[in-house]
Short mmCIF file of all heavy atoms in Angstrom, two decimals:
data_model
loop_
_atom_site.label_atom_id
_atom_site.label_comp_id
_atom_site.label_asym_id
_atom_site.label_seq_id
_atom_site.Cartn_x
_atom_site.Cartn_y
_atom_site.Cartn_z
N ALA A 124 124.90 102.55 146.02
CA ALA A 124 124.65 101.24 145.52
C ALA A 124 124.43 100.29 146.75
O ALA A 124 123.69 99.41 146.68
CB ALA A 124 125.73 100.71 144.61
N LEU A 125 125.08 100.57 147.99
CA LEU A 125 124.93 99.76 149.08
C LEU A 125 123.47 99.91 149.65
O LEU A 125 122.82 98.85 149.84
CB LEU A 125 125.85 100.23 150.23
CG LEU A 125 125.81 99.49 151.56
CD1 LEU A 125 126.41 98.05 151.30
CD2 LEU A 125 126.59 100.27 152.61
N ARG A 126 122.96 101.05 149.59
CA ARG A 126 121.48 101.18 150.04
C ARG A 126 120.53 100.56 149.02
O ARG A 126 119.59 99.97 149.42
CB ARG A 126 121.21 102.76 150.28
CG ARG A 126 119.84 102.90 150.89
CD ARG A 126 119.57 104.41 151.21
NE ARG A 126 120.60 105.08 151.96
CZ ARG A 126 120.52 105.08 153.24
NH1 ARG A 126 119.61 104.63 153.99
NH2 ARG A 126 121.44 105.70 154.01
N LEU A 127 120.82 100.76 147.76
CA LEU A 127 120.02 100.27 146.66
C LEU A 127 119.88 98.69 146.84
O LEU A 127 119.01 98.14 146.27
CB LEU A 127 120.42 100.74 145.42
CG LEU A 127 120.17 102.18 145.09
CD1 LEU A 127 120.77 102.54 143.74
CD2 LEU A 127 118.66 102.53 145.09
N HIS A 128 120.89 98.09 147.32
CA HIS A 128 121.11 96.64 147.54
C HIS A 128 120.89 96.11 148.95
O HIS A 128 121.34 95.03 149.38
CB HIS A 128 122.34 96.15 147.02
CG HIS A 128 122.43 96.22 145.46
ND1 HIS A 128 122.69 97.38 144.83
CD2 HIS A 128 122.21 95.18 144.56
CE1 HIS A 128 122.56 97.14 143.47
NE2 HIS A 128 122.37 95.78 143.27
N SER A 129 120.09 96.95 149.73
CA SER A 129 119.91 96.49 151.11
C SER A 129 118.56 96.02 151.32
O SER A 129 117.55 96.34 150.54
CB SER A 129 120.05 97.87 152.04
OG SER A 129 119.08 98.82 151.84
N MET A 130 118.29 95.34 152.36
CA MET A 130 116.98 94.78 152.77
C MET A 130 116.95 94.45 154.21
O MET A 130 117.97 93.85 154.79
CB MET A 130 116.65 93.57 151.83
CG MET A 130 115.24 93.10 152.13
SD MET A 130 114.64 91.90 150.87
CE MET A 130 115.89 90.78 150.71
N ALA A 131 115.80 94.69 154.82
CA ALA A 131 115.52 94.31 156.25
C ALA A 131 114.34 93.72 156.46
O ALA A 131 113.32 94.10 155.83
CB ALA A 131 115.86 95.61 157.19
N CYS A 132 114.10 92.85 157.42
CA CYS A 132 112.79 92.46 157.86
C CYS A 132 112.12 93.43 158.78
O CYS A 132 112.75 94.43 159.24
CB CYS A 132 112.90 91.05 158.67
SG CYS A 132 113.58 91.27 160.22
N VAL A 133 110.74 93.20 159.03
CA VAL A 133 110.15 94.29 159.83
C VAL A 133 110.59 94.37 161.23
O VAL A 133 110.76 95.39 161.85
CB VAL A 133 108.52 93.97 159.74
CG1 VAL A 133 108.22 92.69 160.32
CG2 VAL A 133 107.77 95.12 160.38
N ALA A 134 110.91 93.19 161.85
CA ALA A 134 111.25 93.13 163.21
C ALA A 134 110.47 93.86 164.26
O ALA A 134 109.25 93.92 164.21
CB ALA A 134 112.79 93.53 163.34
N LEU A 135 111.08 94.57 165.19
CA LEU A 135 110.39 95.33 166.26
C LEU A 135 109.72 96.62 165.57
O LEU A 135 110.24 97.22 164.72
CB LEU A 135 111.34 95.82 167.28
CG LEU A 135 112.08 94.74 168.08
CD1 LEU A 135 113.09 95.25 169.02
CD2 LEU A 135 111.03 93.93 168.89
N PRO A 136 108.61 96.95 166.01
CA PRO A 136 107.82 96.48 167.02
C PRO A 136 106.75 95.47 166.57
O PRO A 136 105.88 94.87 167.35
CB PRO A 136 107.09 97.64 167.70
CG PRO A 136 106.87 98.54 166.45
CD PRO A 136 107.94 98.27 165.47
N THR A 137 106.73 95.08 165.20
CA THR A 137 105.67 94.32 164.74
C THR A 137 105.85 92.87 165.00
O THR A 137 104.84 92.10 165.33
CB THR A 137 105.62 94.61 163.15
OG1 THR A 137 105.45 95.93 162.99
CG2 THR A 137 104.45 93.84 162.51
N CYS A 138 107.02 92.30 164.87
CA CYS A 138 107.24 90.81 164.84
C CYS A 138 107.52 90.42 166.45
O CYS A 138 108.55 90.94 166.99
CB CYS A 138 108.32 90.55 164.01
SG CYS A 138 108.70 88.64 164.01
N GLY A 139 106.73 89.44 166.88
CA GLY A 139 106.99 88.98 168.22
C GLY A 139 108.31 88.11 168.43
O GLY A 139 108.70 87.84 169.48
N LEU A 140 108.81 87.73 167.26
CA LEU A 140 110.06 86.91 167.32
C LEU A 140 111.36 87.73 167.37
O LEU A 140 112.41 87.25 167.74
CB LEU A 140 110.14 86.04 166.11
CG LEU A 140 109.00 84.99 166.03
CD1 LEU A 140 109.19 84.16 164.70
CD2 LEU A 140 109.00 84.01 167.17
N ALA A 141 111.23 89.01 167.00
CA ALA A 141 112.37 89.88 166.87
C ALA A 141 113.10 90.02 168.26
O ALA A 141 112.42 90.22 169.31
CB ALA A 141 112.01 91.24 166.33
N MET A 142 114.45 90.01 168.24
CA MET A 142 115.28 90.27 169.37
C MET A 142 116.00 91.52 169.30
O MET A 142 116.70 92.01 170.17
CB MET A 142 116.24 88.94 169.67
CG MET A 142 115.51 87.73 169.94
SD MET A 142 116.55 86.38 170.21
CE MET A 142 117.08 85.89 168.58
N ALA A 143 116.06 92.12 168.04
CA ALA A 143 116.67 93.37 167.81
C ALA A 143 116.02 94.16 166.65
O ALA A 143 115.11 93.68 166.02
CB ALA A 143 118.22 93.03 167.41
N GLU A 144 116.29 95.43 166.59
CA GLU A 144 115.74 96.26 165.48
C GLU A 144 116.28 95.82 164.16
O GLU A 144 117.41 95.15 164.06
CB GLU A 144 116.10 97.70 165.65
CG GLU A 144 115.48 98.31 166.92
CD GLU A 144 114.03 98.74 166.60
OE1 GLU A 144 113.46 98.57 165.47
OE2 GLU A 144 113.39 99.34 167.58
N SER A 145 115.61 96.06 163.17
CA SER A 145 115.95 95.78 161.71
C SER A 145 115.44 96.85 160.80
O SER A 145 116.24 97.65 160.49
CB SER A 145 115.50 94.33 161.35
OG SER A 145 115.91 94.03 160.07
N GLU A 146 114.20 96.70 160.49
CA GLU A 146 113.68 97.79 159.42
C GLU A 146 113.88 99.21 159.86
O GLU A 146 114.26 100.03 159.11
CB GLU A 146 112.14 97.55 159.23
CG GLU A 146 111.52 98.51 158.27
CD GLU A 146 110.03 98.41 158.44
OE1 GLU A 146 109.41 97.54 158.88
OE2 GLU A 146 109.44 99.46 157.91
N ARG A 147 113.76 99.52 161.21
CA ARG A 147 113.88 100.84 161.63
C ARG A 147 115.30 101.20 161.85
O ARG A 147 115.57 102.50 161.91
CB ARG A 147 113.11 101.04 163.03
CG ARG A 147 111.56 100.88 162.83
CD ARG A 147 110.83 101.27 164.14
NE ARG A 147 111.17 100.51 165.17
CZ ARG A 147 110.66 100.53 166.49
NH1 ARG A 147 109.49 101.41 166.60
NH2 ARG A 147 110.91 99.83 167.52
N TYR A 148 116.13 100.31 161.98
CA TYR A 148 117.61 100.59 162.22
C TYR A 148 118.49 100.52 160.97
O TYR A 148 119.53 101.37 160.95
CB TYR A 148 118.12 99.60 163.30
CG TYR A 148 119.60 99.69 163.56
CD1 TYR A 148 120.18 101.01 163.86
CD2 TYR A 148 120.44 98.63 163.45
CE1 TYR A 148 121.55 101.08 164.06
CE2 TYR A 148 121.84 98.68 163.66
CZ TYR A 148 122.41 99.93 163.95
OH TYR A 148 123.76 100.00 164.28
N LEU A 149 118.32 99.57 160.01
CA LEU A 149 119.23 99.56 158.94
C LEU A 149 119.45 100.76 158.20
O LEU A 149 120.64 101.05 157.83
CB LEU A 149 118.69 98.38 158.05
CG LEU A 149 119.66 98.02 156.77
CD1 LEU A 149 121.03 97.60 157.30
CD2 LEU A 149 118.99 96.98 155.92
N PRO A 150 118.40 101.64 157.92
CA PRO A 150 118.63 102.93 157.21
C PRO A 150 119.71 103.83 157.84
O PRO A 150 120.54 104.43 157.27
CB PRO A 150 117.24 103.53 157.14
CG PRO A 150 116.33 102.42 157.20
CD PRO A 150 116.92 101.40 158.10
N ARG A 151 119.54 103.91 159.24
CA ARG A 151 120.60 104.63 159.94
C ARG A 151 122.01 104.03 159.85
O ARG A 151 122.92 104.64 159.71
CB ARG A 151 120.29 104.73 161.44
CG ARG A 151 121.28 105.22 162.32
CD ARG A 151 120.90 105.27 163.91
NE ARG A 151 122.02 105.00 164.66
CZ ARG A 151 122.95 105.99 164.87
NH1 ARG A 151 122.91 107.13 164.26
NH2 ARG A 151 123.98 105.74 165.63
N LEU A 152 122.08 102.69 159.99
CA LEU A 152 123.41 102.01 159.86
C LEU A 152 123.96 102.39 158.48
O LEU A 152 125.08 102.56 158.32
CB LEU A 152 123.28 100.56 160.13
CG LEU A 152 124.55 99.79 160.11
CD1 LEU A 152 125.55 100.34 161.01
CD2 LEU A 152 124.31 98.34 160.18
N ILE A 153 123.13 102.19 157.47
CA ILE A 153 123.68 102.52 156.04
C ILE A 153 124.15 103.95 155.90
O ILE A 153 125.15 104.18 155.27
CB ILE A 153 122.67 102.08 155.01
CG1 ILE A 153 122.47 100.65 155.05
CG2 ILE A 153 122.96 102.55 153.63
CD1 ILE A 153 121.39 100.10 154.09
N ASP A 154 123.40 104.84 156.62
CA ASP A 154 124.01 106.32 156.71
C ASP A 154 125.53 106.28 157.20
O ASP A 154 126.31 106.98 156.61
CB ASP A 154 123.23 107.13 157.61
CG ASP A 154 121.81 107.47 157.05
OD1 ASP A 154 121.72 107.38 155.85
OD2 ASP A 154 121.01 107.92 157.86
N LEU A 155 125.73 105.58 158.18
CA LEU A 155 127.17 105.43 158.66
C LEU A 155 127.99 104.66 157.70
O LEU A 155 129.28 105.04 157.64
CB LEU A 155 127.03 104.76 160.07
CG LEU A 155 126.27 105.46 161.10
CD1 LEU A 155 126.10 104.63 162.54
CD2 LEU A 155 126.76 106.93 161.40
N LEU A 156 127.60 103.55 157.26
CA LEU A 156 128.33 102.74 156.37
C LEU A 156 128.64 103.57 154.93
O LEU A 156 129.76 103.42 154.43
CB LEU A 156 127.71 101.44 156.03
CG LEU A 156 127.67 100.48 157.15
CD1 LEU A 156 126.94 99.17 156.81
CD2 LEU A 156 129.06 99.95 157.60
N ASP A 157 127.70 104.35 154.57
CA ASP A 157 127.86 105.12 153.35
C ASP A 157 129.18 105.98 153.52
O ASP A 157 129.88 106.23 152.54
CB ASP A 157 126.67 106.00 153.11
CG ASP A 157 125.73 105.26 152.21
OD1 ASP A 157 126.00 104.17 151.75
OD2 ASP A 157 124.55 105.80 151.95
N ALA A 158 129.34 106.49 154.77
CA ALA A 158 130.57 107.37 154.87
C ALA A 158 131.86 106.64 154.66
O ALA A 158 132.83 107.02 154.08
CB ALA A 158 130.56 107.96 156.26
N LEU A 159 131.89 105.30 155.12
CA LEU A 159 133.07 104.54 154.87
C LEU A 159 133.10 104.09 153.30
O LEU A 159 134.17 104.00 152.72
CB LEU A 159 132.89 103.15 155.60
CG LEU A 159 132.83 103.33 157.12
CD1 LEU A 159 132.63 101.97 157.85
CD2 LEU A 159 134.06 103.91 157.72
N VAL A 160 131.97 103.82 152.72
CA VAL A 160 131.98 103.46 151.32
C VAL A 160 132.37 104.60 150.47
O VAL A 160 133.25 104.49 149.43
CB VAL A 160 130.55 103.02 150.90
CG1 VAL A 160 130.40 102.88 149.52
CG2 VAL A 160 130.19 101.53 151.61
N ASP A 161 131.89 105.83 150.85
CA ASP A 161 132.21 107.04 150.06
C ASP A 161 133.71 107.23 150.11
O ASP A 161 134.36 107.58 149.09
CB ASP A 161 131.48 108.17 150.47
CG ASP A 161 130.02 108.14 150.13
OD1 ASP A 161 129.70 107.26 149.33
OD2 ASP A 161 129.30 108.93 150.50
N ALA A 162 134.33 107.20 151.36
CA ALA A 162 135.72 107.32 151.58
C ALA A 162 136.50 106.40 150.80
O ALA A 162 137.63 106.79 150.34
CB ALA A 162 136.08 107.31 153.00
N ALA A 163 136.04 105.19 150.53
CA ALA A 163 136.85 104.24 149.74
C ALA A 163 136.55 104.40 148.29
O ALA A 163 137.19 103.54 147.45
CB ALA A 163 136.50 102.91 150.29
N GLY A 164 135.74 105.21 147.93
CA GLY A 164 135.42 105.36 146.51
C GLY A 164 134.48 104.27 145.83
O GLY A 164 134.57 103.94 144.68
N LEU A 165 133.64 103.76 146.72
CA LEU A 165 132.77 102.62 146.35
C LEU A 165 131.34 102.99 146.30
O LEU A 165 130.47 102.06 146.34
CB LEU A 165 133.08 101.53 147.19
CG LEU A 165 134.42 100.92 147.40
CD1 LEU A 165 134.45 99.75 148.39
CD2 LEU A 165 134.84 100.23 146.02
N ARG A 166 130.97 104.24 146.19
CA ARG A 166 129.57 104.60 146.29
C ARG A 166 128.68 104.01 145.19
O ARG A 166 127.51 103.59 145.46
CB ARG A 166 129.43 106.14 146.10
CG ARG A 166 127.99 106.68 146.28
CD ARG A 166 127.95 108.10 146.22
NE ARG A 166 126.47 108.48 146.23
CZ ARG A 166 125.67 108.55 147.31
NH1 ARG A 166 126.16 108.22 148.45
NH2 ARG A 166 124.43 108.95 147.30
N ASN A 167 129.22 103.77 144.02
CA ASN A 167 128.38 103.13 142.95
C ASN A 167 128.82 101.75 142.75
O ASN A 167 128.37 101.12 141.66
CB ASN A 167 128.83 103.96 141.65
CG ASN A 167 128.39 105.34 141.78
OD1 ASN A 167 127.21 105.71 142.26
ND2 ASN A 167 129.17 106.25 141.23
N ASP A 168 129.32 101.08 143.65
CA ASP A 168 129.75 99.69 143.62
C ASP A 168 128.73 98.92 144.48
O ASP A 168 128.68 99.15 145.73
CB ASP A 168 131.10 99.37 144.12
CG ASP A 168 132.18 99.95 143.11
OD1 ASP A 168 132.52 101.01 143.27
OD2 ASP A 168 132.63 99.08 142.30
N ALA A 169 127.90 98.02 143.97
CA ALA A 169 126.87 97.24 144.59
C ALA A 169 127.41 96.21 145.51
O ALA A 169 128.18 95.36 145.18
CB ALA A 169 125.96 96.63 143.60
N ILE A 170 127.03 96.34 146.82
CA ILE A 170 127.33 95.29 147.90
C ILE A 170 125.96 95.05 148.47
O ILE A 170 125.31 95.86 148.95
CB ILE A 170 128.29 95.81 148.91
CG1 ILE A 170 129.67 96.24 148.29
CG2 ILE A 170 128.51 94.77 150.02
CD1 ILE A 170 130.54 96.88 149.22
N VAL A 171 125.65 93.69 148.51
CA VAL A 171 124.38 93.30 149.05
C VAL A 171 124.55 93.18 150.59
O VAL A 171 125.30 92.54 151.12
CB VAL A 171 123.92 91.93 148.48
CG1 VAL A 171 122.63 91.33 149.17
CG2 VAL A 171 123.69 91.92 146.96
N ILE A 172 123.68 94.05 151.24
CA ILE A 172 123.77 93.99 152.77
C ILE A 172 122.29 93.77 153.27
O ILE A 172 121.27 94.34 152.71
CB ILE A 172 124.26 95.27 153.28
CG1 ILE A 172 124.26 95.35 154.82
CG2 ILE A 172 123.48 96.58 152.81
CD1 ILE A 172 124.88 96.42 155.53
N ARG A 173 122.02 92.89 154.21
CA ARG A 173 120.67 92.60 154.79
C ARG A 173 120.77 92.50 156.28
O ARG A 173 121.84 92.07 156.80
CB ARG A 173 120.16 91.35 154.02
CG ARG A 173 120.01 91.44 152.58
CD ARG A 173 119.60 90.15 151.99
NE ARG A 173 119.41 90.35 150.56
CZ ARG A 173 119.47 89.20 149.58
NH1 ARG A 173 119.64 88.07 150.08
NH2 ARG A 173 119.34 89.54 148.29
N MET A 174 119.63 92.79 156.87
CA MET A 174 119.49 92.73 158.22
C MET A 174 118.26 92.06 158.77
O MET A 174 117.19 92.25 158.13
CB MET A 174 119.72 94.13 158.82
CG MET A 174 119.40 94.11 160.43
SD MET A 174 119.54 95.94 161.08
CE MET A 174 121.40 96.16 160.95
N THR A 175 118.35 91.28 159.75
CA THR A 175 116.98 90.68 160.42
C THR A 175 117.19 90.91 161.88
O THR A 175 118.26 90.93 162.52
CB THR A 175 116.82 89.14 160.16
OG1 THR A 175 118.12 88.38 160.51
CG2 THR A 175 116.85 89.00 158.59
N GLY A 176 115.94 90.77 162.47
CA GLY A 176 115.87 90.95 163.97
C GLY A 176 115.93 89.65 164.67
O GLY A 176 116.11 89.71 165.96
N CYS A 177 116.09 88.63 164.05
CA CYS A 177 116.09 87.25 164.74
C CYS A 177 116.80 86.31 163.71
O CYS A 177 116.86 86.60 162.53
CB CYS A 177 114.94 86.81 165.19
SG CYS A 177 113.83 85.93 164.06
N PRO A 178 117.23 85.06 164.18
CA PRO A 178 117.83 84.10 163.22
C PRO A 178 116.97 83.50 162.15
O PRO A 178 117.45 82.79 161.26
CB PRO A 178 118.40 83.02 164.26
CG PRO A 178 118.59 83.69 165.53
CD PRO A 178 117.29 84.69 165.57
N ASN A 179 115.66 83.71 162.26
CA ASN A 179 114.72 83.07 161.20
C ASN A 179 115.04 83.63 159.79
O ASN A 179 114.74 82.97 158.91
CB ASN A 179 113.33 83.37 161.62
CG ASN A 179 112.82 82.39 162.85
OD1 ASN A 179 113.09 81.30 162.74
ND2 ASN A 179 112.20 83.01 163.80
N GLY A 180 115.68 84.80 159.71
CA GLY A 180 116.15 85.16 158.43
C GLY A 180 115.15 85.68 157.33
O GLY A 180 115.33 85.23 156.13
#
Side-chain angles (χ1 to χ4, degrees):
L125 182 69
R126 191 179 300 275
L127 291 172
H128 287 76
S129 67
M130 181 163 53
C132 72
V133 62
L135 298 172
T137 304
C138 180
L140 299 176
M142 296 181 283
E144 290 282 358
S145 183
E146 177 194 342
R147 298 191 298 187
Y148 173 53
L149 183 58
R151 166 185 151 72
L152 180 62
I153 291 180
D154 287 342
L155 301 174
L156 290 173
D157 271 351
L159 302 177
V160 167
D161 288 349
L165 299 174
R166 180 174 178 80
N167 297 316
D168 291 85
I170 299 174
V171 177
I172 181 170
R173 295 175 182 158
M174 176 181 283
T175 60
C177 83
N179 285 309

